[in-house]
């Protein structure tokens, strides 16, 4: 605005001098005025004749005094002030209005109303539009975190209360001699306590991963031996349900990851597949090498999740269970698949789920070849 105001004043002074020059020429005899305009086309060649004309009619070409120039400049400056103020107000409104919307939305968020959003005004400068959009993204994530916190808190209380109530009721029954004091009754109580321990362990992994404090020990290891090991650990559950696990991983294939955490994720997927694959089913495990990384795939033929896209979009949510089969009586903490996703993201990858042709589910653990997790031996994810 300062540059524009200065240019306007200078333009006014230039117009004034042009006016004075035109006024002086109008007082010259017509022939002299025409001659002077002709001579001024090439003033260097006609300097002598121009000087004679200026000397003859010098009183007409006398420049204005410095005082007059200062007065005219002052008047021009005063005349331009209203335009500068008006333009400044318009510009300030374009800046202040979107900022005020962001401030109002921020005040709402500060009071706990995470649904507040700042409107993105098309008339606002691009920088302020980006500010409003980034604020809205932040508020959206805060709203999602707040909703997840409330839902998780209620779900955690419910999931812990169920086995705890069962364990306490069983112990009280033993004390009241409703149940006999024998090894089988104690084993039932121990099963309930172990379920509580699994829930707490899964919650700890999720908390560490979300806070960026999940320690990873990265190493390269043989994939087939790793899968065989996890199948062997799951053999009691496999035999109990009559489910057969098949390892399709080639002997020469390797994986670079945290062996313990990746094993935890694979065991969770095997456990999930066994629980919902159905008696006499089959669980297949394969490793596929891609351009950007590897995919550890677990497939089953069960009916644990329908082919509805909404089911698979919520597959890795905490405590989510499909209405048909992912019920509590089937076992599990409701956190295993969320732990799988957290471990994958800590490695710089992700987990995905989809329906199989002919029925069943397919879960993929996608790990990149490169990245912070893959390039370091120890990483706090």
């Amino acid at each position: 605005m300062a540059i524009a105001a200065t240019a306007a004043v200078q333009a006014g002074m230039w117009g004034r001098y042009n006016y004075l020059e035109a006024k002086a020429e109008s007082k010259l005899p017509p022939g002299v005025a025409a001659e002077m305009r002709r001579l001024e086309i090439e003033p260097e060649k006609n300097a002598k004749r121009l000087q004679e004309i200026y000397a003859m009619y010098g009183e007409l070409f006398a420049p204005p005094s410095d005082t007059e120039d200062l007065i005219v400049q002052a008047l021009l400056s005063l005349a331009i002030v209203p335009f500068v103020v008006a333009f400044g107000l318009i510009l300030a409104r374009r800046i202040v209005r979107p900022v005020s919307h962001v401030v109002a939305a921020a005040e709402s968020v500060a009071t706990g109303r995470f649904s507040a959003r700042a409107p993105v005004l098309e008339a606002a400068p691009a920088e302020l539009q980006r500010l409003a959009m980034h604020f809205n993204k932040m508020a959206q994530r805060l709203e999602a975190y707040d909703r997840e916190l409330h839902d998780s808190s209620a779900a955690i209380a419910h999931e812990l209360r169920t086995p705890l109530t069962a364990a306490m009721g069983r112990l009280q029954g033993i004390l009241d001699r409703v149940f006999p004091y024998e090894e089988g009754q104690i084993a039932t109580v121990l099963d309930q306590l172990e379920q509580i321990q699994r829930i707490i362990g899964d919650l700890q992994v999720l908390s560490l991963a979300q806070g960026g404090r999940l320690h990873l020990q990265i190493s390269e290891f043989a994939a087939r031996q790793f899968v065989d090991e996890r199948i062997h650990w799951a053999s009691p559950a496999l035999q109990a349900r009559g489910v057969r696990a098949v390892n399709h991983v080639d002997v020469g294939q390797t994986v670079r990851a945290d062996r313990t955490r990746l094993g935890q994720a694979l065991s969770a997927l095997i456990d999930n597949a066994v629980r919902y694959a159905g008696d006499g089913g089959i669980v297949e495990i394969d490793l596929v090498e891609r351009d950007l990384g590897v995919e550890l795939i677990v497939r089953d033929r069960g009916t644990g999740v329908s082919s509805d896209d909404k089911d698979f979009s919520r597959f890795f949510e905490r405590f989510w269970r499909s209405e048909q089969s992912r019920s509590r009586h089937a076992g599990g903490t409701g956190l295993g698949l969320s732990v799988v996703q957290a471990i994958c993201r800590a490695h710089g990858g992700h987990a995905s789920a989809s329906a199989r042709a002919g029925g069943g589910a397919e879960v993929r653990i996608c790990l990149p070849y490169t990245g912070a997790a893959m390039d370091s031996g120890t990483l706090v994810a």
Side-chain angles (χ1 to χ4, degrees):
M1 286 190 296
I3 295 175
T6 302
V9 171
Q10 295 301 319
M13 294 299 294
W14 176 79
R16 175 173 180 259
Y17 279 109
N18 281 343
Y19 168 75
L20 293 176
E21 183 178 353
K23 183 179 178 180
E25 289 184 2
S26 66
K27 295 181 179 180
L28 292 174
V32 176
E35 181 185 6
M36 191 175 70
R37 285 194 295 270
R38 187 177 64 255
L39 295 174
E40 285 179 344
I41 297 175
E42 294 180 331
E44 292 84 2
K45 294 182 179 180
N46 306 306
K48 184 177 180 181
R49 176 55 184 164
L50 285 172
Q51 288 178 357
E52 292 177 355
I53 295 175
Y54 290 149
M56 187 179 303
Y57 301 97
E59 69 279 1
L60 298 178
F61 296 99
S65 64
D66 293 341
T67 302
E68 292 177 341
D69 284 344
L70 290 175
I71 293 173
V72 173
Q73 286 184 352
L75 293 174
L76 289 172
S77 298
L78 290 175
I80 205 69
V81 165
F83 297 97
V84 172
V85 172
F87 181 77
L89 291 175
I90 294 173
L91 183 61
R93 180 177 175 81
R94 288 188 61 197
I95 296 175
V96 172
R97 187 182 177 192
V99 172
S100 64
H101 286 309
V102 174
V103 170
E107 291 176 349
S108 297
V109 170
T111 60
R113 290 184 57 251
F114 298 111
S115 60
R117 299 291 185 270
V120 181
L121 304 178
E122 295 182 359
E127 293 79 5
L128 295 180
Q129 290 183 14
R130 288 198 297 271
L131 173 64
M133 288 188 292
H134 287 307
F135 174 84
N136 290 339
K137 290 180 181 179
M138 179 192 70
Q140 185 177 5
R141 294 188 65 181
L142 286 174
E143 184 180 17
Y145 288 149
D146 183 66
R147 182 172 58 252
E148 181 181 355
L149 178 62
H150 283 85
D151 294 344
S152 295
S153 297
I156 289 169
H158 185 67
E159 294 290 335
L160 289 175
R161 184 171 56 247
T162 300
L164 184 59
T165 301
M168 292 178 64
R170 181 70 61 169
L171 288 174
Q172 188 64 47
I174 293 174
L175 291 176
D176 295 340
R177 302 188 183 280
V178 176
F179 301 115
Y181 183 73
E182 59 184 18
E183 183 179 346
Q185 299 297 329
I186 301 300
T188 301
V189 175
L190 185 61
D191 288 341
Q192 301 296 333
L193 295 178
E194 287 178 349
Q195 184 175 354
I196 295 174
Q197 185 181 33
R198 288 196 299 272
I199 294 175
I200 294 174
D202 290 342
L203 287 172
Q204 182 183 28
V205 173
L206 291 173
S207 177
L208 291 173
Q210 188 171 0
R213 294 178 287 112
L214 184 62
H215 291 264
L216 299 179
Q217 298 290 335
I218 304 301
S219 62
E220 189 169 355
F221 50 89
R224 183 173 181 84
Q225 180 184 357
F226 164 75
V227 173
D228 283 337
E229 176 185 286
R230 292 292 162 170
I231 292 176
H232 176 71
W233 287 5
S235 57
L238 291 168
Q239 293 172 5
R241 293 295 301 272
V243 177
R244 183 166 59 95
V246 180
N247 184 0
H248 293 298
V249 180
D250 293 336
V251 175
Q253 290 182 299
T254 60
V255 175
R256 182 169 176 78
D258 184 310
R259 184 185 178 96
T260 301
R261 292 298 185 189
L262 185 60
Q264 182 180 359
L266 180 57
S267 292
L269 293 181
I270 294 174
D271 180 64
N272 183 77
V274 170
R275 186 175 297 115
Y276 306 115
D279 295 338
I282 183 172
V283 176
E284 300 174 274
I285 304 173
D286 199 358
L287 183 70
V288 179
E289 298 178 0
R290 305 294 186 187
D291 293 337
L292 300 178
V294 297
E295 293 182 358
L296 187 61
I297 308 171
V298 178
R299 302 183 178 96
D300 65 63
R301 285 296 182 186
T303 58
V305 181
S306 70
S307 59
D308 190 348
D309 289 340
K310 291 189 296 183
D311 279 351
F312 285 104
S313 66
R314 302 187 60 191
F315 199 72
F316 299 99
E317 289 185 13
R318 299 183 186 186
F319 299 113
W320 176 79
R321 289 181 170 92
S322 177
E323 294 181 359
Q324 288 79 11
S325 61
R326 288 179 58 79
S327 55
R328 185 176 290 102
H329 66 75
T333 65
L335 291 170
L337 296 176
S338 298
V339 171
V340 172
Q341 187 69 275
I343 291 174
C344 291
R345 288 176 176 171
H347 282 80
H350 68 278
S352 63
S354 60
R356 295 185 67 185
E362 177 179 278
V363 183
R364 295 174 179 263
I365 294 178
C366 305
L367 302 178
Y369 286 128
T370 59
M374 302 297 105
D375 296 335
S376 61
T378 303
L379 178 72
V380 178

